[in-house]
């Protein structure tokens, strides 16, 4: 196959991190879709922070971009939920273009968004393309975990813990994570919040599906994470007093008909000095297991996996699929088109 031709849908932080990786692996960036007037019309190389222009403008209309040039894959990084990203994936399918999004819900969307998932699957099959969700969860929260528990004779309980530093993102994330609120304000918000499903839900769905476990019950609880000493939130330009929120942790637990209980804790908070992103999995059973990746660079690991998955997505059968159904992630030392099966 000649070099892979890719289009970014969403030219924000993650696309900017991924773009040099694509170029290193000889993937051609042939189009880019943005939204704000500050980005649309400018050269994609400038918007993505590259050291050179790409000769490709950022455009506002996905359909116009996909219908005006040959494209092998769209890399979609606009939003987190299927209700938003589903429309972009549908446009890709209608134009015969494969797509991989890092929308967190897309990692295993069938239970949380059954209707959108079924419609996208039908559309992808009709047009002979593959749509999927990828990103950090692929290896670090799904495929490493399913491989690990595959080594067990018996599993009683799997508990995963993951965290991100709110201050590595913009003020919207800090506000979403209720940073600076009192416990009373947090509890009042939680009681009335119309929150979408947690991303832990989709991660546990993928682990259960890959391990042949039948989900019988799902619960989500949310606990506040509190400042123990005065701490700064740089993105909000706010000093947080002890006892106020530095973020919160969602805890999802699945019971299964076969016995094992699956739990994942996802924490978004301001880190204290010296804290790093957590990726920690403990398995109670025969034998007991513990897998931990200290100092994991969540943002870069999101983009390396988004990029490395490109050949797998192009090679996969048509339809909406998920990373637990794709081959295990493999190192890609060569330009990525060397791994594409099609002529
Ligand atoms: N799965 C994972 O591992 C993982 C990891 C990191 C992030 N994520 C998710 O990936 C998404 C992107 O993250 P990010 O850090 O790159 O966010 P970001 O910096 O905010 O970038 C998002 C980009 O999408 C654009 N956009 C939003 N809606 C659009 C639309 N309808 N049409 C065209 N462009 C649109 C925005 O355009 P403007 O700038 O013009 O407004 C922005 O450039 C987020 O939802 C994030 O939660 C997932």
């Amino acid at each position: 196959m000649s070099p892979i031709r890719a289009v970014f849908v969403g030219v924000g932080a993650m696309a900017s991190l991924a773009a040099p990786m694509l170029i290193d692996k000889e993937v051609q960036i042939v189009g880019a879709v943005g939204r704000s007037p500050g980005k649309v019309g400018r050269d994609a190389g400038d918007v993505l922070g590259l050291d050179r222009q790409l000769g490709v403008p950022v455009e506002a209309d996905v359909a116009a971009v996909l219908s005006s040039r040959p494209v092998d894959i769209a890399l979609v990084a606009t939003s987190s939920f299927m209700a938003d990203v589903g429309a972009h994936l549908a446009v890709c399918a209608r134009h015969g273009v494969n797509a991989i999004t890092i929308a967190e819900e897309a990692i295993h969307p069938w239970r949380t968004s059954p209707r959108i998932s079924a419609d996208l699957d039908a559309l992808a099959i009709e047009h002979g393309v593959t749509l999927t969700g990828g990103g950090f969860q692929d290896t670090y929260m799904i495929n490493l975990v399913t491989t690990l528990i595959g080594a067990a004779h018996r599993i009683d309980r799997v508990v995963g813990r993951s965290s991100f530093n709110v201050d590595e993102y913009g003020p919207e994330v800090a506000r979403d994570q209720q940073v600076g609120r009192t416990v009373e304000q947090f509890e009042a918000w939680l009681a009335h919040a119309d929150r979408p499903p947690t991303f832990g839900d989709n991660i546990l769905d993928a682990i259960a599906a890959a391990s042949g476990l039948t989900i019988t019950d799902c619960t989500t609880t949310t606990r506040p994470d509190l400042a123990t000493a005065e701490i700064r939130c740089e993105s909000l330009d706010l000093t947080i007093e002890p006892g106020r929120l530095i973020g919160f942790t969602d805890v999802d637990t699945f019971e299964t008909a076969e016995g094992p209980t699956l739990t994942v804790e996802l924490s978004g908070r301001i880190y204290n000095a010296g804290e790093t992103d957590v990726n920690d999995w403990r398995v109670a059973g025969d034998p007991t297991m513990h897998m931990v990746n200290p100092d994991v660079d969540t943002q870069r690991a999101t983009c390396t996996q988004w990029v490395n998955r490109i050949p797998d997505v192009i090679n996969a059968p048509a339809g909406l699929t998920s990373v637990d159904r794709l081959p295990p992630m493999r190192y890609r030392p060569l330009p990525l088109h060397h791994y594409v099966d099609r002529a």
Side-chain angles (χ1 to χ4, degrees), residues 21-240:
M21 298 175 190
L22 290 181
I23 290 168
D24 271 355
K25 297 286 167 83
E26 292 185 20
V27 176
Q28 294 173 353
I29 302 170
V30 297
V33 179
R35 180 178 57 175
S36 56
K39 291 183 178 175
V40 174
R42 287 171 57 204
D43 186 272
D46 290 340
V47 172
L48 292 166
L50 299 174
D51 55 9
R52 63 186 163 93
Q53 297 214 324
L54 290 174
V56 171
V58 174
E59 296 172 60
D61 184 348
V62 189
V65 170
L66 299 183
S67 57
S68 58
R69 69 211 74 177
V71 179
D72 299 303
I73 192 156
L75 301 176
V76 182
T78 51
S79 49
S80 297
F81 295 99
M82 293 300 282
D84 304 315
V85 89
H88 292 314
L89 297 178
V91 176
C92 293
R94 283 195 197 94
H95 287 83
V97 173
N98 301 291
I100 178 164
T101 176
I102 54 168
E104 289 88 340
E105 191 189 356
I107 203 79
H108 204 278
W110 289 273
R111 198 174 52 80
T112 51
S113 287
R115 180 66 194 268
I116 297 171
S117 302
D119 289 350
L120 286 174
D121 187 45
L123 203 57
I125 290 170
E126 183 188 339
H127 293 275
V129 297
T130 307
L131 307 174
T132 195
F136 183 75
Q137 305 92 314
D138 186 338
T139 299
Y140 287 85
M141 306 196 79
I142 296 172
N143 282 315
L144 275 179
V145 179
T146 54
T147 301
L148 182 74
I149 64 179
H153 173 62
R154 190 194 73 253
I155 303 164
D156 300 323
R157 186 172 177 81
V158 178
V159 180
R161 290 193 307 120
S162 180
S163 71
F164 68 92
N165 184 357
V166 163
D167 243 354
E168 286 177 3
Y169 301 83
E172 212 166 308
V173 172
R175 278 191 285 270
D176 281 351
Q177 290 300 119
Q178 308 297 306
V179 171
R181 299 284 190 112
T182 63
V183 172
E184 294 70 31
Q185 287 169 332
F186 167 75
E187 283 171 353
W189 165 79
L190 195 59
H192 300 290
D194 182 17
R195 296 182 65 203
T198 63
F199 305 138
D201 228 293
N202 306 100
I203 291 163
L204 294 183
D205 269 340
I207 294 171
S211 308
L213 296 171
T214 316
I215 302 161
T216 53
D217 190 42
C218 313
T219 53
T220 301
T221 56
T222 303
R223 63 166 190 260
D225 295 314
L226 304 179
T228 51
E230 207 172 80
I231 190 169
R232 285 284 300 162
C233 174
E234 298 303 340
S235 64
L236 293 178
D237 190 21
L238 188 71
T239 301
I240 298 150

